[in-house]
Amino acid sequence: MKNRLTESQLERKNSFIKVNGFWNDVWDELLYLDEDFFEVFSIFSSVPWKTGVLEPKIKELINIAISSSPTHLSIPATRIHIQNALRLGATNEEIVEVLKVVSILGMHTCAVGVPLMVEEFDNHDSSTEVRLSERQKQLKAEFIEQMGYWHDFRDVLLQMDESFFEAYSNFLTAPWKTGILEPKVIEFIYIAIDASTTHLFEKGIQVHLKNALKYGATKEEILEVYQLTSSLGFHSLLMGIPILVDELKKQNR
């Protein structure tokens, strides 16, 4: 497909770049295929960039988290937002730290699965009781001191497999010990990946909202995190349109 943008399409392209600060060739194709929907997409995705509550670099770090989350793993979107973050002054250490924060999402398997496991086993054995050793109590206290929260499923995890809990605890707390990202920014990242349409982990959102407030987050900042995360659906276009264009080219050979 030979892509030639009209004056109207070029005007919309320039307007998008002015607000968002970047462009991707896929949006040329979207403009060519459906100019009216591009305008809908442009207005929606530009909202958090017009309000300016969060600094642009932080927005892109959040976008990296959303795109690279284990529940999404969008290579095209992750590449775009890493490019944008670098352009806005993010360091490679900051970006690596974002990826480290996001990688802990796999532990939500235990956050959801362990309570269900306990519930089922309790139906068969009402005498089940969690009793922690002194070492386990110490590990629990260290976790709470570092993270500021605790949930009962961790008592079970700690009692059943102390070595796994300790490895998990070290994994989870690692980004907090480096100081590369502000605590509030880490909480924004957690809120974003927990609230994304590919995850929607309500318990996690609640925990990290409380933590974000503790670190001074405002309602406006959190709403902007939600706005950024709500654009996740447009990754369907980012992935699908290049495939469509490629298939149309094959048909026209």
Side-chain angles (χ1 to χ4, degrees):
M1 180 186 297
K2 194 170 183 179
N3 196 343
R4 293 180 179 175
L5 300 182
T6 65
E7 288 299 317
S8 171
Q9 291 166 348
L10 284 171
E11 185 177 336
R12 288 180 171 178
K13 176 178 179 176
N14 291 333
S15 177
F16 181 97
I17 294 171
K18 183 178 179 181
V19 172
N20 295 276
F22 75 99
W23 186 256
N24 185 275
D25 291 343
V26 174
W27 306 143
D28 280 318
E29 302 290 357
L30 178 60
L31 261 172
Y32 182 84
L33 291 166
D34 194 332
E35 182 177 350
D36 289 340
F37 185 76
F38 173 84
E39 184 69 5
V40 172
F41 151 72
S42 179
I43 292 171
F44 184 90
S45 62
S46 297
V47 168
W49 293 92
K50 290 179 177 178
T51 57
V53 178
L54 298 173
E55 65 173 289
K57 184 183 78 171
I58 299 304
K59 292 176 187 178
E60 286 300 353
L61 293 179
I62 292 169
N63 279 331
I64 291 170
I66 296 163
S67 304
S68 65
S69 171
T71 60
H72 190 49
L73 297 177
S74 172
I75 293 174
T78 303
R79 184 178 299 277
I80 288 170
H81 294 300
I82 285 178
Q83 290 171 346
N84 290 348
L86 290 170
R87 176 176 52 81
L88 291 167
T91 65
N92 63 325
E93 290 85 2
E94 287 174 322
I95 294 171
V96 169
E97 208 69 6
V98 170
L99 300 176
K100 285 162 57 179
V101 169
V102 175
S103 67
I104 197 63
L105 196 70
M107 276 304 298
H108 287 177
T109 296
C110 290
V112 174
V114 170
L116 293 174
M117 177 186 72
V118 171
E119 181 180 347
E120 287 304 314
F121 276 83
D122 280 353
N123 290 335
H124 298 282
D125 183 5
S126 59
S127 65
T128 302
E129 182 180 351
V130 176
R131 293 180 180 176
L132 301 181
S133 68
E134 290 305 312
R135 170 62 178 155
Q136 291 165 351
K137 289 177 182 177
Q138 180 186 347
L139 288 171
K140 177 176 179 177
E142 289 172 357
F143 183 98
I144 294 172
E145 182 180 2
Q146 179 68 55
M147 301 303 298
Y149 61 87
W150 185 262
H151 285 94
D152 290 344
F153 87 89
R154 292 188 177 89
D155 284 312
V156 178
L157 196 61
L158 184 51
Q159 182 194 47
M160 290 186 66
D161 195 330
E162 180 180 319
S163 61
F164 179 75
F165 176 85
E166 189 168 9
Y168 149 63
S169 182
N170 290 335
F171 181 27
L172 177 62
T173 59
W176 295 90
K177 294 174 181 176
T178 65
I180 292 173
L181 295 176
E182 292 178 61
K184 185 171 72 169
V185 172
I186 294 177
E187 294 298 345
F188 288 157
I189 289 170
Y190 281 137
I191 291 168
I193 61 177
D194 284 354
S196 68
T197 52
T198 54
H199 195 40
L200 296 176
F201 184 52
E202 186 174 342
K203 289 182 180 178
I205 298 169
Q206 291 172 337
V207 167
H208 296 297
L209 278 173
K210 289 177 182 177
N211 288 350
L213 292 174
K214 182 178 69 176
Y215 291 121
T218 66
K219 287 189 293 185
E220 291 76 15
E221 287 175 324
I222 291 169
L223 178 59
E224 197 158 280
V225 171
Y226 289 150
Q227 290 171 347
L228 290 164
T229 309
S230 296
S231 294
L232 189 72
F234 293 123
H235 291 182
S236 297
L237 301 169
L238 193 60
M239 179 190 69
I241 286 178
I243 296 172
L244 171 62
V245 170
D246 186 52
E247 293 303 316
L248 292 173
K249 286 179 180 177
K250 290 178 183 177
Q251 288 185 3
N252 293 331
R253 283 176 184 170

